[in-house]
Each structure stands twice: as structure tokens, then as C-alpha cells.
Amino acid sequence: MPLQYDGGPAMPVDLRSDTVTRPTAAMRAAMADAEVGDDVYGEDPTVNRLEQRAAAIMGKEAALFVPTGTMGNTIAIKLHTNHGEEVLCEAHSHMMDWELSMMAWFSGCLARTVASEDGILRWPNVEHALQTGGPHHAATTLIAIENTHNMAGGTVYPLEAIDEICEGAHERGLKVHMDGARVFNASAASRIAVDRIVRDVDSVMFCLSKGLGAPIGSVLAGTRKDIDRARLYRKRLGGGMRQAGVVAAAGLIALADVPDRLVEDHANAKFLAERLSVSPRLTVDPGRVQTNIVIFGIEKLGCNSVEFSEELKQRGVLANGVNSTQMRLVTHRDVTRADCEQAIEGIEQAIRRFRPQTISTGQ
Ligand code: TLP
């Protein structure tokens, strides 16, 4: 299927996100042939299979197919909190910055953020920020960790950091949710099985529609009791999807085929970062790239990320800014090494459009 694109010369290299992958021929065939039923009655055999498979992979009692990662995180927060409580999360986590304040809107909770340089929360900082509750303070009841951390550049949680947070939280009767939208990337990069990574968290959400390449869908996994309640919250949020086996079928293929090939995306991201680090006009540290995300600074170009994105688009590269001076490149199944070469060429050309900033001495 042709990509809709009118911004430049040849077919663009789309590095805006790993959400842009299109379903493979095998996924499309599975979707066409999917056995379906009404999932709101629990009668869609393909959805049921996907949920059972996902629960097994995560080592959790049960799992729920949800349309989006945002819905999965939203339901998880609702499961583990009461109105008016605090959710501790990293300062630039997805649920803090990119989910339309759903934790406030749906669960009535306040985010208590902890800043970090690499997106990774560590127990001593978490412990310090916990609110125990009292006449003036609402209690923290949930700690949310994002693995990999998107806006820190796809950083991977060290296992000890997760284990320590879970141990400390559980000792205090608190819950831990993992936003594992890209937990399979974390697993591929660390060579640690996903069920070990998420062993002690109370719930985990992962996306089928990102690096795994399915067109739609995420999964929330946890205890049977929590997932039974989660099903009701999904319905409340408008996520009762009826013959959803049509999309779950692609999710099953994604789980079977893809996790092993994520290392290719990681190698491509590293390649992009290494090549871009040669430019004195960009700020990029290839040493930070652990998975499929590269964040680089354009502050020395004297333009903002919207202007730079526009220049890139004219040169066949699609990439978004994460703020006014930083760009993000995300590799995925539909980006080859040759595409990365093409993207570097386009980025180098775009850089030349902006004059080096001359600093006025005032003389
Ligand atoms: N991330 C998207 C954008 O929303 C930024 C992207 O292109 O990376 N958790 C994490 C860590 C995510 O990166 C995302 C999506 C979500 C949750 C939400 O998933 P969806 O988009 O399915 O609601």
C-alpha cells in the first residue's frame, strides 16, 4: 500500500516513531482469516488466544487486549489507586507528558515526579519522594516505571533498579506498574527474558503496535482479579471492541515473529547516532543509544525542531522534535540500513541550510 506523502522527492524514510509500521503480508493474511466472536461477551477466540499468550509471555495470571497503550496505562493507574492519591513517575515519562493527564482525568490522581538524567528511577530517589499520607498530604499508592524510557532515548532499566523499586514498594504496601510499551526492546537489548524483567511488577502494559509491528493494540497483564476489573474499566473508556479478533490476529503474529529481530532496529539506531555524532553541529551521544531511539540536539543550528523537521521533510526524512531543540529518530521494521544511509544524507543536507551561529562580541 503506498505511503501518503507529498513532501519531497523519493519515498521518505519515516523515523517519526515505531508506531508507523504497516502490517506484514502474514499479518494481513491472519487478519483476513481470523476466527472472531463478540469480545465484550468474552467470545472472540482470537482475542482470547492473544490474551492467554501474552499472559504466558509476561508470566502473569491474566491479560487484557486494549486498543492503545494510553488506555492500558490509564486502566492500570485506576486499578492501583483511589481518587485523590499520588502516582510517582519519572519527570518526562509518557504518562506524565503525553497522555493528556489521563491519570487526573480518569483516576483523579496527582503525579509526583522524580527527575532523572536517563529516565531511570532508582529506589533512593523514589523513597525520598513518597508521600505517606496524613492531615496535609495525600498518600502515594502507585509507582510507575517506563521501560524502555521513550524521551530519555529508549533507555533500559537495569534489573536491580526494578527489583529494588518493587521490593521497596511492596514492603510499604504500594503497587508498581510498568509502562512497558517497548519492554521487548528492553529484553532484546539486555538479553533478559521479558517475564523476568516484569516478574515483580503488579501490572505491565506493552504495545503490539510499536516495535512489534502490529497495526493496532496493546496488552495489560497482571493478576486475574485486577484484569477482571480492568475489563470493566476498558468498557467504561469505550474500549469494548466486539470482533476484535481481526486485529488480535496480527498481534499474535507480532508476538511470534518479531521480538528476535528488534536487535536489528537497535543496531540501526546506533548506526544513525554514530554517523550523526560526526557532525560538530549536532549534539548526539551514541554511547547513550541502547535500543531503537536516538535523541539529538539541534541547538547549534539556530533553528527550532519544527523548522528542522520541515527541512528534513523536504529531503525525504520524516522526524519529529521532542521539544524545541531536540529531535527524535526511531528505527523499526520498515527502516533498513540503506534507509538509514538515506536519512543521514538528508539530515546532513538539512544542516547545511542553517548557517553556523556567529556569536556577536559587540565590537
Ligand atoms: N508513544 C508515542 C507517542 O505518544 C509519543 C511514540 O511515538 O513514541 N507509553 C510509551 C512509553 C509510549 O511511547 C507510548 C506511545 C505510549 C505509552 C502510548 O501508546 P499509544 O500511542 O498506543 O496510546
Side-chain angles (χ1 to χ4, degrees):
M1 190 177 285
L3 183 64
Q4 298 289 311
Y5 177 69
D6 57 4
M11 190 69 164
V13 182
D14 195 343
L15 296 164
R16 286 172 301 172
S17 182
D18 45 11
T19 59
V20 302
T21 51
R22 275 121 216 283
T24 60
M27 286 177 187
R28 286 175 192 269
M31 292 167 83
D33 292 344
E35 221 190 319
V36 295
D38 192 326
D39 181 51
V40 173
Y41 294 108
E43 289 172 4
D44 189 302
T46 310
V47 172
N48 292 343
R49 245 185 314 130
L50 173 66
E51 291 178 346
Q52 282 156 16
R53 182 83 197 103
I57 292 173
M58 293 291 142
K60 300 289 178 200
E61 286 173 13
L64 182 72
F65 185 46
V66 286
T68 64
T70 301
M71 191 187 285
N73 282 338
T74 299
I75 293 172
I77 293 168
K78 185 73 187 156
L79 286 177
H80 300 309
T81 61
N82 295 302
H83 220 81
E85 293 175 342
E86 293 199 1
V87 175
L88 191 145
C89 57
E90 202 277 334
H92 293 293
S93 57
H94 195 274
M95 58 174 68
M96 179 64 201
D97 285 349
W98 300 82
E99 295 185 7
L100 289 130
S101 303
M102 276 304 277
M103 75 171 74
W105 194 82
F106 190 61
S107 299
C109 286
L110 182 73
R112 169 79 48 186
T113 61
V114 171
S116 71
E117 205 265 318
D118 57 0
I120 307 298
L121 293 178
R122 293 192 164 72
W123 174 249
N125 303 337
V126 169
E127 188 178 24
H128 191 67
L130 294 175
Q131 299 282 355
T132 48
H136 302 289
H137 306 288
T140 312
T141 42
L142 175 65
I143 299 166
I145 57 182
E146 186 174 313
N147 194 19
T148 65
H149 192 291
N150 188 347
M151 293 300 153
T155 46
V156 178
Y157 262 81
L159 206 50
E160 321 78 74
I162 303 172
D163 288 354
E164 262 179 49
I165 289 172
C166 289
E167 197 187 327
H170 292 153
E171 270 171 14
R172 286 160 183 75
L174 314 180
K175 298 287 166 104
V176 180
H177 169 67
M178 183 181 289
D179 175 347
R182 297 184 178 84
V183 73
F184 284 95
N185 295 87
S187 171
S190 61
R191 294 203 183 87
I192 300 171
V194 144
D195 60 345
R196 172 63 189 89
I197 295 174
V198 307
R199 187 187 69 187
D200 297 339
V201 299
D202 298 281
S203 56
V204 53
M205 181 285 290
F206 71 91
C207 295
L208 295 159
S209 59
K210 299 199 165 60
L212 300 188
I216 299 169
S218 294
V219 173
L220 177 66
T223 62
R224 162 73 52 202
K225 198 162 160 241
D226 279 346
I227 296 303
D228 287 347
R229 285 174 61 223
R231 204 171 286 280
L232 305 179
Y233 290 130
R234 182 183 70 176
K235 190 74 171 71
R236 282 204 161 99
L237 285 164
M241 292 188 290
R242 310 295 179 185
Q243 284 73 44
V246 170
V247 277
L252 276 163
I253 304 260
L255 279 179
D257 288 357
V258 183
D260 288 346
R261 61 150 301 284
L262 292 173
V263 287
E264 287 170 37
D265 299 342
H266 300 177
N268 281 336
K270 191 81 160 177
F271 172 78
L272 283 170
E274 275 164 1
R275 289 283 300 272
L276 295 178
S277 69
V278 172
S279 170
R281 303 196 57 214
L282 299 179
T283 312
V284 54
D285 177 1
R288 281 185 71 122
V289 176
Q290 300 173 27
T291 56
N292 67 329
I293 300 177
V294 181
I295 306 245
F296 65 94
I298 55 168
E299 57 284 342
K300 288 181 233 160
L301 298 182
C303 66
N304 64 37
S305 56
V306 174
E307 292 159 340
F308 195 61
S309 286
E310 192 47 47
E311 286 300 327
L312 290 179
K313 190 171 169 189
Q314 299 311 315
R315 288 158 185 81
V317 182
L318 304 185
N320 288 332
V322 295
N323 53 43
S324 65
T325 59
Q326 286 187 304
M327 302 292 300
R328 183 182 75 152
L329 306 177
V330 187
T331 55
H332 50 79
R333 191 190 53 217
D334 295 350
V335 169
T336 62
R337 184 54 67 94
D339 292 329
C340 292
E341 301 264 11
Q342 187 186 321
I344 288 159
E345 179 71 31
I347 294 169
E348 283 169 352
Q349 285 174 16
I351 292 170
R352 290 197 282 275
R353 285 276 298 123
F354 298 96
R355 288 168 191 278
Q357 291 294 289
T358 44
I359 298 163
S360 167
T361 58
Q363 291 170 349

